[in-house]
Structures are given as C-alpha cells and as structure tokens.
Amino acid sequence: MTQPDLPPPGWHPHLWHPTTQVALAAPPMRAVQGRGAILQLEDGRRLIDAISSWWVTLHGHAEPSIAAAIAAQAHQLEQVIFANFSHPPAERLAERLSALSGLERLFFSDNGSTAVEVALKIAWQWWRNRGERRDQLIAFEGAYHGDTVGAMAVGARSLFSAPFEPWLFSVARVSWPQCSWEEPAPERQEQAALAALEQALTLPTAAVILEPLIQGASGMAMVRPGFLQAVQERVRAAGALLIADEVMTGFGRTGALFACRRAGLQPDLMALSKGLTGGFLPMGVTLASERLYQGFISEDPTATFFHGHSFTANPLGCAAALASLDLLEAAPERYRGFEARHRPLLERLRRHPRVERPRCLGTVAAFDVKVEQPGYLSAVGRRLQSLCLEAGVYIRPLGNVVYLLPPLCLSEAQLERCYAAIEAALDQL
Ligand code: PMP
C-alpha cells in the first residue's frame, strides 16, 4: 500500500472522521450554524440538509424548544450516576415511550449500536437465566445494526466488517425480499425467505433481529408489511424473541411513530436512537417487555443484567427526548403527511433514464442510479453528491442508491429544490 502525504490540504491535523478515506474523499465542509433544514458553512454557503445529518435531525437543526429544554435541564441536573439514582426526566421518558411502544421497560445507552447490543444481550441472557440454551440468532441479509462488535456480527458481512471477520459470531441469515414501485410484488422471494426462516427456526433460537420496513444503510431496501407479519408469526410459533431495530425508522420516519406500528409488529425488544433526542444529543434506548424484565429478577446475583454506560439516562438527553416527543405529538401530520409530499416529486424523477427502482415510505424516498457496477463503492454517489452540493443540497448516497431523508421542518420549496438538484445532477452524469 502506498502512503499518501498526509494530511492533505483541508484536513485537520488532529481529527479522524468516520467512514472516511482521506486519500480519496474531499475534505470536510466546516459547518458553523444549523437552522431548520439549513446548514450554514463557514465560507458562507447554505446547504439544505436533505439527509438529516445521518438521519438524526428529526424536526430541524437548533429546534428552539429542544434547545431550551436542554438548557433548562443543564441548569437543574446535568448528569447523575444511574445505578443507585433515578430522576424525573428519565422516568417521564420511560413512561411515555412505554405507552407508545407497548413495551414496559426501558434501558438506556448512548447510541444506536449500543441500543442494539443491549437488545441482543438481554435476549441472550434471558434464555440463560431461564436455564434454557438457545444459541442461535437469526438476522437478515443486507442488515445493518451498527459498528460495535455485536451489532456488526448481526449485520450483513460487508466492506465495513471485513477486517473484523474473526471477531464476529455467526448468525443464521434469511434473505430480505425488497420491493420498489417498478417491480411486481416479490411474492416468490418472500416465500423463499419465509421458508429459509422456518428452516433456521428449527434450531433453538434466542432471537430474530430485523429493521422493520426499511433496511437503511444497505440501501433503503423496503419490504412489505405482510412479509414482516409472516416473519413475526413464525418467530412466535418457534417461541423465539423478536428484536426490532428502529434506530433509523423510529419517531415518524416511516410515516408512523414506529415502523413496527405501520408493519403490524409487536416485538419483544426495540432499539431506538437517532431521532430520539430530536437529533440533539447522543442517546440510545432499548425497550423490553415486562416478561423479559421479570426474567432478570432473582435473588441469585448472576441473573443481573450487568451492563451499564457512564452516561446512562443522561438528563440532558432525556429532556431533549421529552421535548422532541412533545413536538411529534403536537403535529403528527408532519410525519404522517410526508410520504404524500415525496410521491409526486419522485413520480416525476422516476422518468429520468438513469433512475430505477424508485421507492418511498414516510419521510424516506430512494432510487437506484443505473450503473454498470452497483454497490457502496460505486463512484456515481460521490459524483452526485458533489453536483448536488453545487446546487446547495447536501445528500450522501449509499453508492448508487440515492435517497432523501429530510428533517420534518423541510418546506415545500426546499423539498422541490432537493429533487431539482438531483435531477439536474443526473442530467450531468
Ligand atoms: N441500527 C440501524 C438500523 C442504523 O441505521 C444505525 C445507524 N445508521 C445503527 C443501528 C447504529 O447507530 P449508531 O450509528 O448511532 O451507533
């Protein structure tokens, strides 16, 4: 491997950016302010953040009510160790999320990966606490559940996980019968996936983990609710646990508060993060059923769930999450109605000769760019990104998959600008 001269111009000598190859990428843009859907750069440019800064900015940047809630909480109680202590914002958040999700118990962590890891560990240990060995986990092809080791293990093997292959425990895999507007309903693929699931479930299985309705990072791959209901039936029949990773789909992203609701699923465990705090602060939660919680209550200390992060239930994060829920509950039409805003614009864009497999669910719209070599490393994504930036729109395609996942505050004019920028960029390819 040749060593390029580092750091190249434009890169800070002391920072290390995520999923970024310095030798190939453009240097980062310096952001100085965020307001609503707009990111203001130091050089004066104003960009529409069409992907909610990695899918976290739910309402808009610097949303005043969330900023105020965090500030007020910071003056009251900024942090307290959550073993031995509890506090009102954590309790209120647990009560509200329990009522909304149908899962009674809430365990806090710091991000989406840890929320998934916690779900996996709870599921695994619950069976052991019962004295029953169920050593198999089942996940879907193409899944992405995070970058920590356990989350990587249940995720699809990929470019991201390849160097760590020997660390990753093995998982049974079932295919993901994705669909788009253009193809007939993937009934055969769904049947094949269900047959594979049934086969896998003949081994004692602790849990099945899935991203309900949309696999995000693998390319906004959408499945039909009926397929997921059939998955749930089979998981229940085998007595295994169902884990819903709603890290991306939670909080209105699919047009319902939770994708599980839209899909008709009632999981045993649910992982949430990203939009949880409105995108203001890093926090993850894992919701679990009371039945699972009770499986850890014992006079035998070894039954304890020995997992805890320093910042568990950080009061600032809880205050932000409560303020974010207030906003969602005050204006549910903002997430429920987003799909109807995307549809006509995506309908027009799909006529472009480079566009294939258009698809849309809630606030998420996506399509594939026709290229000879599709995939995450396809250069077409980087090219489209730079062309859209010139038009004042920030997107971050997943290789040849282009998607929009904007904050709920995005105006109609801003949404049209996003589509216009993408169309013009496609013309220039
Ligand atoms: N699960 C899903 C479905 C995700 O989309 C992501 C992040 N893209 C994660 C887990 C991991 O979350 P985080 O990046 O906060 O660790």
Side-chain angles (χ1 to χ4, degrees), residues 292-308:
L292 294 186
Y293 180 73
Q294 289 301 331
F296 289 79
I297 312 293
S298 164
E299 300 206 334
D300 172 5
T302 64
T304 309
F305 187 51
F306 284 113
H307 185 112

Side-chain angles (χ1 to χ4, degrees), residues 55 111-113 144-146 211 245 247-248 274:
W55 322 341
N111 55 64
S113 305
Y144 176 82
H145 295 294
E211 291 159 86
D245 176 354
V247 168
M248 183 198 85
K274 293 199 186 273

Side-chain angles (χ1 to χ4, degrees), residues 54-56 110-116 143-148 151 209-212 214-218 220 244-249 271-274 282-284:
W54 252 343
W55 322 341
V56 303
D110 301 337
N111 55 64
S113 305
T114 54
V116 167
Y144 176 82
H145 295 294
D147 288 344
T148 55
I209 182 167
L210 53 83
E211 291 159 86
I214 313 180
Q215 283 187 344
S218 72
M220 300 299 159
D245 176 354
E246 290 237 25
V247 168
M248 183 198 85
T249 54
L272 296 169
S273 185
K274 293 199 186 273
M283 174 173 268

Side-chain angles (χ1 to χ4, degrees), residues 91-123:
E91 290 166 9
R92 283 202 300 275
L93 184 60
E95 285 153 18
R96 287 176 75 175
L97 287 179
S98 290
L100 293 169
S101 67
L103 294 167
E104 295 88 346
R105 294 285 166 176
L106 186 155
F107 192 97
F108 283 100
S109 63
D110 301 337
N111 55 64
S113 305
T114 54
V116 167
E117 297 259 359
V118 165
L120 296 171
K121 287 175 75 174
I122 289 176

